[in-house]
């Protein structure tokens, strides 16, 4: 492989944060003689991408294959990419500093809709043709996967294949199939047909739109691509020796995934739908992997991650065992995404140790009516009791997440957010000793509803940008000032997310046009500009406003009809009806099966750490 | 708080890891101490931290051959064992060079280390003779006026440079060897002086080869 270091090094004196590009971190693995070379790219900067656990999992899985090399790739920041273009330095992998184009496979994770222009930026810098159809025999296979793959169409044209669902086993099968095809001298087209037979693998080139717009499979490819699901997480060790960055990355800590999936059933939440069923790892393996990760990496913090860690049935035991083992080592334990209703003060105390940073809750809506409509099964009283307990125990800061523009939202619901924040503030101050009340802070972060594929709200529209801004102003007017830090997502950004999240194949042209007009790093506020996108919509004759805002008739095919997440259409439609009538649906982890269809259609079941369901 | 055992570690920052910032390097050293399972001491209070302190920071891009940190241990560990343990868990480019215990009463590295020795490699066509001449002219002028973060700053070269810089020919490039006295109010960055002499287009590579303690006019290494 070509070593580009001599060309890269002179550029580093001229860029911000050069440590992004130098490799040599602890845990980085070098296998120069490997017979098969994989580059795993996160379509954002090093600091953002190094925090991604999925890439760590995939890298650890690939490292188990002795003659396979797996190297990291990130999108260079704009100062670096400008120099690389000026000096004709192609996109390189970190470990070998080798051209990405020399790898056999380029895996790209798709974390969210706004990363799509960065996918093109990466491909272009690598010198790989942007569209699968233009690629030559010698180009790497470009394979995507991740959360934003659940509606793959807006970016499908740029990928040879896209994995839907869990990658633990699929990544090994993909590599094996590619190597076997290569060994027998198969063409690129033949290789892709082989890949299409692997469970969860979608090969966009093998699908073409039929008369009603539904994508139809050509021979050999499945009519519907069924999401890949690993049955039991405990079978896979959590990555214990991930690369330890020098740079200050987003989540600069060791982490162990304690459970996957969440079946609380918030109706707007894609992750809560498409990662079902809940699969817990047992307390023993969590503690084992957490300690091993700390020993191997030297991190000063271990994070117990999942969509909803406080829901883990053995969390208290895990925290007790970990804090005992870590005593005196100045190591922190953190639990992101704590939920109001499953929070206990015991857990807070175990977590807090010495440090009392912030605590985050997501009531999502201000009124009980709207919380019921979105199936956020939490009451204002529960939230206030939790805040009271937390501030009584010494916390001085809490962050609350809300969402504007949810289906059925009225002006009363918007105003109710302000009222709820006032009550939280009151409760927090009441639980704080008088002398310290000045330090009480409530951070309120307000996002905008984005309709997502495979959710009960997939047929709903997002309010127009003008309407979103009106509601933001309304909210601002109802929000207490003192002690509250209010922030919200930009309406333009959320609009673009909505267009891409519910878009079809036509959006690929828009993404390419926007990227050609200079759009990239769209998730970075200071880099984002809607103008390039609006021009791209016009150029490609796409009515973006209609795509984002107009409800989709339930009797019409959706752009993701050929992606089978396991959820039944009837369940999603019924949940939408229940939202309209304000009926809630209980979490199947705790109660009866809600009939979402995942377990029955895929022969799966909820996995709890202690065995059995805790009814 | 108990005094503990103060282990002084001399380490390097070389190769491509010269691009680390001081903060990045410090964090890397702390994590290495954890990986090495050294019996490190922890501060008291709400936010307990490893008791470690560093010598003067190196800028991003500047290499160092003998950099220092002091780490407090809760029990005695043979220095060669600590050295071995750290070496086995650290990238070669920032590996430890040597380590030994110092007395708990010893002044901190940050205040004790006042002399820094540098090699500055200059590329960009300037000859050793030309560079020597223009450096000499600067030295004769006695002061160097620069702008640092938008503010004008003046260095008295006789104070900042306790020894005359030496210019040598080194293969394709020119090498300036210089010794800088670090003051409380900032110290002269060698690249500032050399680029003032060699011109803005010259490409420089800076390597801090030594850090010294000045003790009653005598210079010595901290280990």
């Amino acid at each position: 492989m070509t070593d580009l270091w001599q060309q890269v090094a002179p550029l580093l004196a001229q860029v911000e944060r050069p440590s992004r590009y130098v490799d040599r971190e602890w845990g980085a693995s070098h296998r120069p003689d490997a017979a098969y070379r994989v580059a795993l790219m996160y379509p954002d900067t090093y600091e953002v991408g190094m925090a991604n656990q999925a890439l760590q999992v995939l890298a650890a899985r690939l490292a188990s294959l002795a003659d396979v090399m797996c190297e990291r790739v990130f999108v260079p920041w704009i100062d670096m990419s400008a120099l690389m273009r000026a000096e004709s330095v192609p996109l390189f992998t970190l470990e070998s500093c080798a051209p990405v184009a020399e790898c056999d496979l380029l895996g790209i994770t798709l974390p969210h809709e706004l990363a799509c222009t960065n996918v093109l930026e990466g491909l272009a810098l690598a010198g790989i043709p942007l569209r699968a159809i233009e690629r030559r025999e010698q180009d790497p296979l470009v394979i995507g996967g991740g959360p934003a793959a659940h509606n793959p169409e807006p970016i499908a044209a740029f990928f040879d294949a896209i994995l839907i669902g869990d990658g633990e086993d699929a990544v090994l099968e993909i590599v094996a199939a590619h190597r076997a095809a290569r060994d027998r001298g198969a063409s690129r087209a033949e290789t892709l047909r082989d890949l299409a037979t692997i469970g969860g693998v979608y090969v966009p080139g093998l699908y073409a739109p039929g008369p009603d717009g539904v994508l139809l499979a050509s021979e050999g490819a499945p009519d519907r691509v069924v999401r890949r699901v690993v049955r039991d997480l405990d079978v896979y060790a959590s990555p214990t020796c991930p690369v330890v960055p020098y740079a200050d990355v987003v989540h600069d800590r060791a982490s162990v995934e304690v459970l996957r999936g969440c079946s609380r059933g918030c109706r707007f939440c894609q992750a809560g739908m498409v990662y079902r069923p809940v699969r817990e790892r047992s307390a023993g393996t969590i503690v084992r992997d957490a300690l091993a990760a700390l020993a191997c990496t030297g991190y000063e913090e271990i994070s117990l991650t999942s969509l909803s860690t406080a829901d883990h049935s053995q969390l208290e035991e895990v925290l007790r065992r970990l804090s005992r083992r870590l005593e005196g080592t100045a190591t922190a334990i953190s639990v992101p995404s704590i939920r109001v209703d499953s929070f206990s003060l015991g857990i807070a105390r175990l977590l807090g140790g010495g440090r009392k940073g912030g605590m985050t809750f997501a009531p999502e809506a201000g009124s009980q009516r709207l919380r019921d409509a979105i199936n956020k099964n939490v009451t204002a009283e529960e939230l206030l009791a939790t805040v009271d307990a937390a501030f009584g125990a010494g916390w001085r800061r809490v962050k609350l997440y809300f969402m504007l523009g949810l289906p059925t939202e009225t002006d009363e619901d918007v105003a109710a957010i302000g009222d709820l924040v006032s009550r939280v503030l009151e409760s927090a101050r009441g639980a704080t000793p008088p002398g310290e009340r000045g330090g009480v802070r409530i951070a309120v972060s307000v996002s905008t509803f984005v309709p997502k594929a495979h959710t009960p709200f997939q047929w709903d529209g997002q309010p127009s940008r003008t309407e979103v801004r009106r509601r933001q102003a309304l909210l601002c007017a109802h929000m207490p000032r003192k002690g509250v830090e209010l922030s919200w997502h930009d309406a333009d950004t959320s609009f673009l997310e909505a267009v891409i999240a519910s878009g079809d194949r036509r959006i690929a042209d828009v993404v390419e046009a926007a990227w050609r007009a200079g759009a990239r790093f769209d998730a970075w506020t200071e880099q984002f500009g809607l103008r390039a996108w609006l021009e791209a919509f016009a150029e490609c004759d796409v009515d973006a406003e209609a795509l984002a805002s107009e409800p989709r008739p339930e009797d019409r095919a959706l752009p993701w009809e050929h992606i089978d997440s396991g959820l039944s259409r009837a369940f999603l439609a019924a949940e939408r009806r229940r939202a309209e009538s304000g009926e809630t649906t209980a979490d199947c982890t705790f109660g009866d099966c809600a009939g979402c269809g995942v377990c029955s259609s895929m022969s799966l079941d909820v996995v709890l750490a202690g065995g059995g369901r805790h009814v | 708080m108990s005094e503990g055992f103060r282990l002084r570690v001399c380490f390097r920052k070389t190769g491509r890891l010269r691009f680390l910032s001081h903060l990045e390097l410090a964090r890397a050293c702390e994590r290495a101490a954890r990986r090495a399972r050294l019996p490190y001491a922890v501060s008291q209070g709400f936010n307990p931290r490893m008791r470690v302190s560093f010598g003067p920071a190196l800028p991003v891009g500047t290499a160092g051959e003998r950099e220092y940190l002091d780490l407090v241990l809760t029990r005695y560990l043979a220095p060669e064992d600590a050295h071995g343990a750290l070496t086995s868990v650290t990238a070669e480019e920032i590996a430890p060079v040597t380590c030994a215990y110092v007395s708990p009463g010893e002044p901190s590295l940050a205040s004790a280390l006042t002399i820094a020795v540098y090699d500055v490699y200059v590329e960009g066509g300037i000859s050793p003779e030309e560079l020597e001449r223009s450096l000499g002219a600067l030295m004769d002028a006695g002061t160097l006026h620069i702008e640092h973060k938008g503010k004008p700053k003046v260095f008295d070269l006789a104070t900042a440079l306790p020894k005359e810089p030496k210019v040598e020919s080194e293969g394709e490039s020119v090498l300036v060897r210089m010794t800088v006295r670090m003051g409380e109010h900032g110290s002269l960055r060698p690249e500032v002086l050399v680029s003032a002499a060699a011109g803005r287009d010259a490409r420089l590579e800076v390597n801090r080869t030594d850090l010294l303690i000045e003790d009653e006019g005598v210079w010595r290494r901290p280990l």
Side-chain angles (χ1 to χ4, degrees):
Chain A
M1 298 191 72
T2 313
D3 184 353
L4 296 167
W5 178 252
Q6 291 311 320
Q7 281 118 280
V8 171
L11 310 182
L12 297 182
Q14 306 166 56
V15 298
E16 277 178 30
R17 303 168 184 245
S19 67
R20 286 167 167 169
Y21 312 105
V22 302
D23 180 62
R24 296 302 189 268
E25 304 96 324
W26 186 250
S29 79
H30 299 87
R31 286 181 184 171
D33 303 325
Y36 189 86
R37 302 182 286 243
V38 180
L40 287 183
M41 178 173 113
Y42 189 93
D44 208 306
T45 61
Y46 177 94
E47 291 90 316
V48 179
M50 282 297 290
N52 187 266
Q53 266 181 286
L55 286 181
Q56 294 173 13
V57 169
L58 295 181
R61 294 293 287 166
L62 289 167
S64 69
L65 305 171
D67 54 350
V68 171
M69 169 198 98
C70 176
E71 306 210 343
R72 295 164 296 150
V73 182
F74 301 99
V75 179
W77 187 242
I78 50 172
D79 56 351
M80 184 65 170
S81 58
L83 289 172
M84 287 166 65
R85 286 193 165 97
E87 302 292 330
S88 304
V89 177
L91 187 67
F92 52 90
T93 64
L94 288 186
E95 284 82 351
S96 301
C97 206
V100 169
E102 289 182 14
C103 292
D104 298 294
L105 190 157
L106 169 60
I108 304 179
T109 195
L110 300 164
H112 51 73
E113 292 80 11
L114 297 177
C116 54
T117 49
N118 269 12
V119 169
L120 297 191
E121 176 77 352
L123 290 170
L125 283 168
I128 298 170
L130 299 185
R131 299 202 177 227
I133 201 165
E134 299 160 351
R135 292 192 189 123
R136 304 147 296 183
E137 290 295 328
Q138 75 269 24
D139 287 316
L141 282 184
V142 179
I143 302 188
H150 290 97
N151 172 21
E153 291 317 313
I155 41 86
F158 311 123
F159 287 90
D160 295 304
I162 295 172
L163 173 67
I164 314 294
D166 296 337
E168 275 89 345
D169 295 322
V171 70
L172 301 186
E173 294 167 23
I174 289 168
V175 168
H178 187 205
R179 298 183 75 175
R182 208 176 54 170
D183 290 348
R184 64 166 209 271
S187 68
R188 194 175 186 92
E190 287 162 346
T191 305
L192 292 177
R193 274 196 290 278
D194 287 356
L195 291 185
T197 64
I198 297 172
V201 175
Y202 170 49
V203 177
L206 298 180
Y207 294 74
D212 58 351
V214 177
L215 290 171
L216 301 176
S218 62
E219 211 176 315
D223 292 335
R224 298 189 80 203
V225 178
V226 180
R227 174 172 64 101
R228 199 66 189 263
V229 187
V230 299
R231 197 165 288 278
D232 185 354
L233 277 191
D234 250 352
V235 175
Y236 310 87
S238 179
T240 47
C241 289
V243 177
V244 184
Y246 295 116
D248 192 7
V249 305
V250 176
H251 300 300
D252 198 11
R253 56 198 180 200
S255 53
V256 176
E257 184 184 19
V258 299
L259 67 91
R260 194 172 295 176
C262 170
S263 47
R264 292 193 163 250
C266 298
R267 290 172 179 137
F268 58 84
C269 179
Q270 189 184 48
M273 294 290 158
V274 302
Y275 293 115
R276 294 177 176 219
V278 166
R279 288 149 287 161
E280 292 185 352
R281 299 181 76 226
S282 65
T285 52
I286 294 168
V287 172
R288 177 199 68 196
D289 291 351
L291 294 173
L294 288 168
C296 190
T297 60
Y299 273 118
E300 49 288 317
E301 181 176 345
I302 179 83
S303 178
L304 306 176
T305 62
S306 74
L307 290 169
S308 183
T309 298
D311 281 345
H312 193 285
S313 58
Q314 295 180 336
L315 183 63
E316 293 216 31
E317 183 192 338
V318 169
L319 291 175
R320 220 169 273 124
R321 284 169 66 180
L322 274 179
S323 41
R324 199 164 51 228
R325 296 289 295 273
L326 297 173
E327 211 181 327
T329 62
T331 306
I333 307 168
S334 66
V335 173
S337 63
I338 280 178
R339 311 182 64 118
V340 179
D341 39 3
S342 53
F343 184 86
S344 79
L345 196 57
I347 289 175
R349 290 217 172 95
L350 279 167
L351 267 180
R355 294 177 195 201
K356 287 197 173 53
M359 195 177 281
T360 304
F361 301 111
E364 305 292 359
S367 69
Q368 193 60 47
R369 186 207 67 76
L370 188 51
R371 281 196 298 274
D372 288 344
I374 62 175
N375 205 41
K376 190 86 203 183
N377 289 316
V378 55
T379 64
E381 288 65 38
E382 284 169 321
L383 174 63
L384 296 173
T386 308
V387 167
D388 182 75
F391 281 75
W395 267 268
R396 292 293 170 262
R397 208 187 145 76
V398 64
K399 187 167 188 177
L400 301 176
Y401 283 110
F402 292 97
M403 205 178 268
L404 274 185
L406 285 159
T408 78
E409 183 181 71
T410 63
D411 284 2
E412 286 73 44
D413 296 316
V414 176
I417 297 176
D419 299 338
L420 184 59
V421 172
S422 299
R423 292 172 69 192
V424 166
L425 199 53
E426 206 174 294
S427 173
R429 287 199 178 122
T432 304
E436 299 173 30
R437 283 178 192 163
V440 169
R441 286 284 174 280
I442 314 291
V444 178
S445 174
V446 186
S447 63
T448 307
F449 165 67
V450 175
K452 298 266 186 166
H454 310 283
T455 68
F457 292 159
Q458 64 181 350
W459 293 284
D460 288 280
Q462 180 187 62
S464 70
R465 280 176 288 149
T466 323
E467 174 61 13
V468 169
R469 291 205 181 91
R470 189 190 67 81
R471 293 189 202 182
Q472 287 175 342
L474 181 68
L475 173 62
C476 199
H478 283 85
M479 191 59 69
R481 292 278 181 277
K482 202 166 172 288
V484 175
E485 293 159 7
L486 177 63
S487 65
W488 47 53
H489 288 201
D490 167 51
D492 288 349
T493 307
S494 305
F495 162 68
L496 180 60
E497 285 178 285
V499 176
I500 299 172
S502 47
D504 55 25
R505 284 199 169 183
R506 292 172 302 156
I507 300 300
D509 293 343
V510 176
V511 172
E512 188 174 337
W515 170 76
R516 288 197 190 281
R520 57 197 154 143
F521 289 107
D522 291 303
W524 293 67
T525 316
E526 79 270 25
Q527 295 295 324
F528 177 73
L530 192 60
R531 216 166 126 201
W533 286 96
L534 293 178
E535 285 167 12
F537 289 131
E539 190 185 320
C540 303
D541 204 17
V542 166
D543 186 350
E545 267 78 16
L547 259 178
S549 305
E550 281 175 15
R552 283 161 279 276
E554 281 184 28
D555 57 1
R556 201 185 298 160
L558 295 163
W560 46 92
E561 214 66 56
H562 55 301
I563 302 299
D564 184 355
S565 57
L567 294 148
S568 86
R569 187 190 184 87
F571 168 77
L572 295 178
E575 280 295 293
R576 192 181 185 215
R577 295 288 95 73
R578 289 167 79 90
E580 282 158 12
S581 57
E583 279 174 271
T584 60
T585 301
D587 184 345
C588 66
T589 322
F590 303 98
D592 293 338
C593 169
C596 74
V598 169
C599 292
S600 54
S601 72
M602 298 178 161
S603 316
L604 296 165
D605 202 356
V606 171
V607 180
L608 295 176
R613 295 188 178 200
H614 47 175
V615 183
Chain B
M1 198 183 295
S2 79
E3 285 184 332
F5 300 84
R6 188 161 152 198
L7 184 72
R8 178 159 291 176
V9 183
C10 173
F11 62 98
R12 55 178 176 252
K13 178 201 176 198
T14 55
R16 49 179 92 184
L17 292 187
R18 70 182 181 276
F19 289 109
L20 298 190
S21 70
H22 180 65
L23 215 67
E24 291 170 344
L25 182 65
R27 202 166 33 217
C29 291
E30 288 186 32
R31 287 177 181 164
R34 286 173 181 267
R35 288 194 295 268
R37 296 179 175 262
L38 299 187
Y40 59 86
V42 164
S43 66
Q44 305 291 306
F46 281 127
N47 190 0
R49 302 198 59 126
M50 184 181 292
R51 289 176 60 196
V52 59
S53 53
F54 292 84
L58 272 179
V60 173
T62 300
E65 282 175 16
R66 299 185 69 88
E67 297 296 307
Y68 295 90
L69 65 84
D70 281 354
L71 174 66
V72 181
L73 301 183
T74 56
R75 60 182 168 79
Y76 178 84
L77 184 71
E80 54 275 23
D81 292 345
H83 184 261
L86 283 171
T87 305
S88 66
V89 295
T90 314
E92 204 190 315
E93 290 87 346
I94 53 170
V97 176
T98 177
C99 58
Y101 288 96
V102 296
S103 132
E106 185 103 345
S108 75
L109 287 165
S111 63
L113 294 168
T114 52
I115 302 293
V117 186
Y118 291 94
D119 281 353
V120 183
Y121 295 87
V122 188
E123 272 177 60
I126 193 165
S127 71
E129 295 74 25
E130 277 177 274
L131 187 54
E132 191 154 21
R133 251 196 314 279
S134 56
L135 264 179
L138 284 173
M139 295 297 290
D140 291 343
T143 52
L144 181 69
H145 295 260
I146 61 154
E147 201 169 284
H148 183 69
K149 290 179 181 167
K151 285 181 190 157
K153 222 170 166 178
V154 184
F155 283 100
D156 171 30
L157 293 182
T159 316
L161 301 173
K163 283 168 81 171
E164 192 89 2
K166 269 203 252 166
V167 181
E168 296 170 15
S169 189
E170 176 80 26
E172 296 286 284
S173 54
V174 180
L175 169 61
V176 183
R177 292 181 182 276
M178 56 190 286
T179 303
V180 175
R181 176 172 282 122
M182 297 177 285
E184 278 169 41
H185 307 292
S187 33
L188 176 63
R189 282 193 175 193
E191 60 269 33
V192 169
L193 179 74
V194 176
S195 61
R200 280 179 170 259
D201 293 337
R203 287 188 308 279
L204 308 182
E205 217 175 281
V206 186
N207 181 6
R208 184 151 80 187
T209 56
D210 226 340
L211 282 167
L212 304 169
I213 295 172
E214 187 170 27
D215 212 351
E216 298 182 359
V218 180
W219 294 350
R220 64 172 173 89
R221 281 186 172 163
L223 273 185

